[in-house]
């Protein structure tokens, strides 16, 4: 599942994006791959989010905790601090969508 948040439909670049692949068996996350984009100089994979998901119940609490883990060490500049919260929301939404697929 790939989710890209843009300021306007005409803009090609993402303000925040999330690429998520998760496997859910019996309501539990058994495999997770998470990558974020648009919030740094290049896209990056988040082992912190992946670790927060593995073995946990696929629900909103777990997804929010994974988003927090992914961006815990973010160091935004003064003009782009809003992207941290935007990325958390984007990742949370992507996880929900991927889990329901």
């Amino acid at each position: 599942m790939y989710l890209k948040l843009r300021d306007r439909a005409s803009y090609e670049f993402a303000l925040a994006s999330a690429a998520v692949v998760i496997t859910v068996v019996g309501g539990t996350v058994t495999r997770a791959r998470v990558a974020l984009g648009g919030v740094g100089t290049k896209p990056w994979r988040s082992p912190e989010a992946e670790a927060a998901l593995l073995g946990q119940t696929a629900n909103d609490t777990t997804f929010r905790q994974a988003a927090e883990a992914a961006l815990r060490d973010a160091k935004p500049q003064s003009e782009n601090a809003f992207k941290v919260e935007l990325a958390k929301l984007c990742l949370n939404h992507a996880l929900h969508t991927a889990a329901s697929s």
Side-chain angles (χ1 to χ4, degrees), residues 36-51:
L36 297 167
V39 290
T41 56
K42 62 183 181 177
W44 82 92
R45 188 166 162 193
S46 177
E48 299 85 1
E50 294 169 4

Side-chain angles (χ1 to χ4, degrees), residues 2-84:
Y2 176 71
L3 178 63
K4 177 164 95 171
L5 302 180
R6 301 181 284 181
D7 192 25
R8 295 187 180 120
S10 63
Y11 290 165
E12 298 267 341
F13 62 90
L15 290 174
S17 65
V20 173
V21 176
I22 62 172
T23 302
V24 178
V25 177
T28 300
V29 178
T30 60
R31 180 174 177 261
R33 297 293 181 266
V34 174
L36 297 167
V39 290
T41 56
K42 62 183 181 177
W44 82 92
R45 188 166 162 193
S46 177
E48 299 85 1
E50 294 169 4
L53 291 164
L54 284 179
Q56 301 300 313
T57 304
N59 62 28
D60 189 57
T61 300
T62 297
F63 298 159
R64 278 188 277 115
Q65 289 172 344
E68 289 293 330
L71 291 139
R72 183 172 294 126
D73 295 326
K75 294 175 180 60
Q77 301 298 312
S78 61
E79 298 298 315
N80 68 355
F82 73 96
K83 286 191 171 194
V84 174

